[in-house]
Amino acid sequence: MLFGDNGNFNCLEKLKSPAKSVVREGFDIVNEDFEERVALWNKIRKNYNLYKEGHCGEFLDDIDRATRRTFEWALGVLAYSFYYNNEHFPALNKYKEKELELIGYILKYNVFEIWSVDDIVREIMNAQYKGFDETLSLLKEYYNGIGDKVDECIKDHTIRLYIRDFAKEKWLNYKEKMDKAISEGMKYDWFRRFIEGVNTKIRELESRIHNLGEFIERERGRLEEDFENWRNIEKKKIEFEREQLKKEFEREKERLIKEIEDLKEKEMRNKLELKLKEVEEEYKSIIDELNELLKLKDEEIKRIEQEKKEVEEKFDRLWNKIRLALEEERKLSKDRIVRLEEASFYEIWFVDRLRKKLSENKTIKVNGRRFKVYKDEIVETKNKNTEITALMEERKLNPLTKKMKIMFRGIYFTHVEEYNRDGFDTYPMSLGEVKEIIEKAKINGKEYDRVILLIASPTGFDNKTKEIVSSDDLRERYLSDKISLSLFDVKEKKLYYNEVDEFCRAFAKLMSLEFEDEEIMRCKKRVKEEVDVRSYVTFEDIVNEFSKDVVREVFYKLEKTGNYEVKFIKDVGLVLIKK
């Protein structure tokens, strides 16, 4: 038996075992059944009380501190799971909002627990070709201020000491890895543009435009006060105020124009010029209003009041427009905002992958019938979106038998006007837009027996649109004797289709835009992640995400490395176990 001071380590390990299990699970604990988590909470709380009462004896200070950290963090993670799932649990009231927020941050970034700096740098480099994934989003979020929030929480004395102690150790480890990886990534212009979002100069100019709008607002308020006392104010005083406003506005406008012209990024420069132009137009509108008011007679005060109200509404509209535009700039790190350069890259990615998939899948089977591609081409639609069309014909030995003809259309859809106006887009594709494409497909494909539509969007699809192809209620799904509809979220790399549609099922592998080697590599990575956490993974755990053939192949390939073993367990099935 091992002792430290007069402490019994075997006893201590038994008490800590449930808590250590929760710590290892991390964020995944939120997926466990409510009753199971409640049982864990009660058991860990009981063991913690036993420890504090000296059930296992006394231990050295460093061991005592580490033990209390483990217990407090495990209880905190369970509390966060109830909070995350919006479940009623009385003990949750003992935790402050900031404590749960700190725990959430650490769990969110725990991917860096098992990744080295080289792993993160490799993800950064792969993102240049595969698209931006969750890892890069975490790096961007950290770079743009989340790290400061976590540091503030760790310093907050109102948060339990041992929770802060545990979080500090983990966060310093994550920070060190992220800082080194970001420093390495900053050598590349594309990564620097991605992670910085809007550069400091543009932020400064936005602030200047913001201040200019506030200046106009202040001047408007002062002039309104003058109008309230219209009868007691001389006409010359109002004209003087107007001229002062004009001079100040012109001076600030000229300074802003000069700085905007110095910007190298044409896209952001145009955007800022547009904002400045809107402010200038509204300013001119105010001057025009003032000129008209100066001509009015005393008996027209009621009309002045009405016109003043209209001017206020115009200002409110303008100010809200500027404010929302600035807020959108600050939200560029959010996952559903897609910049123009990203959308352009996704378009190339979609077109190149789909063409390669078509070239490798010249023949496709649908319920025993074989269809061969005999023509494919890339066209640009009227709204400047890209479309790939492939024509297919059924292969039959008897040339006199009627052959079924299929038109396959892969459409990359974006809100072109949004990108042209703002340089980014946040709006998912709507049901109305999908309906319009379906109607056109019926007209353009009237000479074909079947039209298969693959609509891809970098901003995804609204919930109603996704429901028409993947609703839990099969009766709500879109099904037609002419059109087979599939939706592909380019940013999330997710395909939506109705599994009831035999043509969608047959074309799903092609429309996923993922090649077999890539699926095997992705599956292998997912399996290893699960095994690293639990030391085993079942076939059923993974088969929902990948095809059965791929999962089976990955299991046996990993077994050949000598580090894993595949077993068949009754009532469970295939299980991959780490040796």
Side-chain angles (χ1 to χ4, degrees), residues 12-64:
L12 178 61
E13 285 303 312
K14 287 180 181 178
L15 290 184
K16 285 171 58 178
S17 179
K20 290 170 72 175
S21 174
V22 170
V23 172
R24 283 195 301 271
E25 282 284 312
F27 182 80
D28 290 342
I29 199 72
V30 303
N31 300 316
E32 299 295 338
D33 292 338
F34 176 77
E35 293 77 11
E36 185 175 341
R37 284 180 280 124
V38 171
L40 275 170
W41 170 278
N42 292 330
K43 190 170 185 179
I44 293 171
R45 171 55 67 185
K46 179 183 177 182
N47 289 359
Y48 191 18
N49 288 333
L50 286 172
Y51 171 77
K52 289 191 285 188
E53 291 167 3
H55 181 72
C56 295
E58 298 293 329
F59 294 89
L60 297 173
D61 288 344
D62 57 342
I63 297 173
D64 177 68

Side-chain angles (χ1 to χ4, degrees), residues 287-323:
I287 295 298
D288 292 341
E289 293 289 340
L290 287 173
N291 288 334
E292 290 179 14
L293 289 172
L294 289 170
K295 298 175 185 178
L296 294 175
K297 299 177 182 179
D298 289 348
E299 61 267 19
E300 295 175 320
I301 285 183
K302 289 185 179 180
R303 188 166 64 85
I304 292 174
E305 292 297 329
Q306 180 60 34
E307 291 180 352
K308 185 184 74 171
K309 184 178 178 181
E310 292 176 0
V311 172
E312 288 175 348
E313 290 174 352
K314 286 182 181 179
F315 261 99
D316 290 340
R317 176 179 53 77
L318 172 67
W319 185 243
N320 286 332
K321 190 171 184 178
I322 293 176
R323 179 177 56 78

Side-chain angles (χ1 to χ4, degrees), residues 306-433:
Q306 180 60 34
E307 291 180 352
K308 185 184 74 171
K309 184 178 178 181
E310 292 176 0
V311 172
E312 288 175 348
E313 290 174 352
K314 286 182 181 179
F315 261 99
D316 290 340
R317 176 179 53 77
L318 172 67
W319 185 243
N320 286 332
K321 190 171 184 178
I322 293 176
R323 179 177 56 78
L324 289 172
L326 292 173
E327 285 178 359
E328 286 174 344
E329 286 293 327
R330 287 194 292 271
K331 291 178 183 175
L332 283 177
S333 63
K334 296 294 177 68
D335 57 356
R336 293 321 297 182
I337 296 206
V338 180
R339 286 182 174 276
L340 175 62
E341 60 267 26
E342 288 181 83
S344 299
F345 172 78
Y346 287 141
E347 182 176 23
I348 296 170
W349 180 91
F350 173 75
V351 170
D352 288 353
R353 279 189 169 253
L354 185 52
R355 293 209 75 179
K356 183 171 175 57
K357 290 285 282 186
L358 284 168
S359 68
E360 292 182 1
N361 294 270
K362 288 292 186 182
T363 302
I364 296 176
K365 290 183 179 180
V366 183
N367 281 354
R369 304 165 76 176
R370 302 176 69 190
F371 295 87
K372 184 177 181 181
V373 177
Y374 65 87
K375 181 182 179 182
D376 67 87
E377 60 181 352
I378 301 177
V379 296
E380 188 179 88
T381 61
K382 289 182 180 179
N383 58 359
K384 304 298 182 182
N385 284 314
T386 302
E387 176 182 331
I388 294 179
T389 301
L391 305 180
M392 305 179 183
E393 187 175 66
E394 185 178 5
R395 298 185 66 183
K396 288 188 175 181
L397 295 176
N398 188 348
L400 301 177
T401 307
K402 185 179 184 301
K403 299 178 181 180
M404 184 177 183
K405 290 185 177 182
I406 292 178
M407 172 187 276
F408 174 87
R409 296 178 63 191
I411 300 169
Y412 182 80
F413 181 90
T414 59
H415 298 109
V416 177
E417 64 281 359
E418 293 292 326
Y419 290 108
N420 290 339
R421 185 177 67 247
D422 298 327
F424 63 88
D425 186 21
T426 62
Y427 302 113
M429 192 173 181
S430 69
L431 183 58
E433 290 164 334

Side-chain angles (χ1 to χ4, degrees), residues 31-159:
N31 300 316
E32 299 295 338
D33 292 338
F34 176 77
E35 293 77 11
E36 185 175 341
R37 284 180 280 124
V38 171
L40 275 170
W41 170 278
N42 292 330
K43 190 170 185 179
I44 293 171
R45 171 55 67 185
K46 179 183 177 182
N47 289 359
Y48 191 18
N49 288 333
L50 286 172
Y51 171 77
K52 289 191 285 188
E53 291 167 3
H55 181 72
C56 295
E58 298 293 329
F59 294 89
L60 297 173
D61 288 344
D62 57 342
I63 297 173
D64 177 68
R65 177 182 169 190
T67 301
R68 291 174 183 267
R69 286 192 326 169
T70 301
F71 277 117
E72 290 284 3
W73 186 257
L75 291 170
V77 170
L78 285 170
Y80 177 80
S81 74
F82 300 123
Y83 170 78
Y84 180 85
N85 290 323
N86 198 23
E87 296 164 331
H88 176 69
F89 187 65
L92 190 58
N93 297 327
K94 297 180 181 179
Y95 287 84
K96 297 181 178 66
E97 189 79 22
K98 281 190 175 181
E99 283 180 309
L100 297 171
E101 186 180 75
L102 175 59
I103 293 168
Y105 283 136
I106 300 302
L107 294 179
K108 183 178 181 181
Y109 280 80
N110 70 358
V111 65
F112 300 113
E113 182 81 26
I114 59 175
W115 280 17
S116 66
V117 175
D118 291 338
D119 292 331
I120 304 171
V121 172
R122 186 163 55 251
E123 285 295 308
I124 292 173
M125 299 310 299
N126 289 341
Q128 187 176 185
Y129 307 102
K130 296 193 303 184
F132 304 118
D133 60 7
E134 184 180 355
T135 305
L136 263 72
S137 297
L138 289 175
L139 291 175
K140 182 171 184 177
E141 186 181 61
Y142 164 71
Y143 184 84
N144 284 282
I146 287 297
D148 295 335
K149 289 185 179 180
V150 177
D151 290 336
E152 287 175 12
C153 290
I154 291 173
K155 294 175 184 176
D156 190 340
H157 70 279
T158 63
I159 296 176

Side-chain angles (χ1 to χ4, degrees), residues 417-460:
E417 64 281 359
E418 293 292 326
Y419 290 108
N420 290 339
R421 185 177 67 247
D422 298 327
F424 63 88
D425 186 21
T426 62
Y427 302 113
M429 192 173 181
S430 69
L431 183 58
E433 290 164 334
V434 172
K435 179 178 176 292
E436 185 179 344
I437 291 176
I438 291 174
E439 293 301 326
K440 288 181 180 178
K442 288 180 179 178
I443 296 171
N444 297 334
K446 60 186 178 181
E447 296 179 3
Y448 296 85
D449 300 293
R450 193 82 183 179
V451 177
I452 299 173
L453 279 180
L454 172 63
I455 304 174
S457 168
T459 50

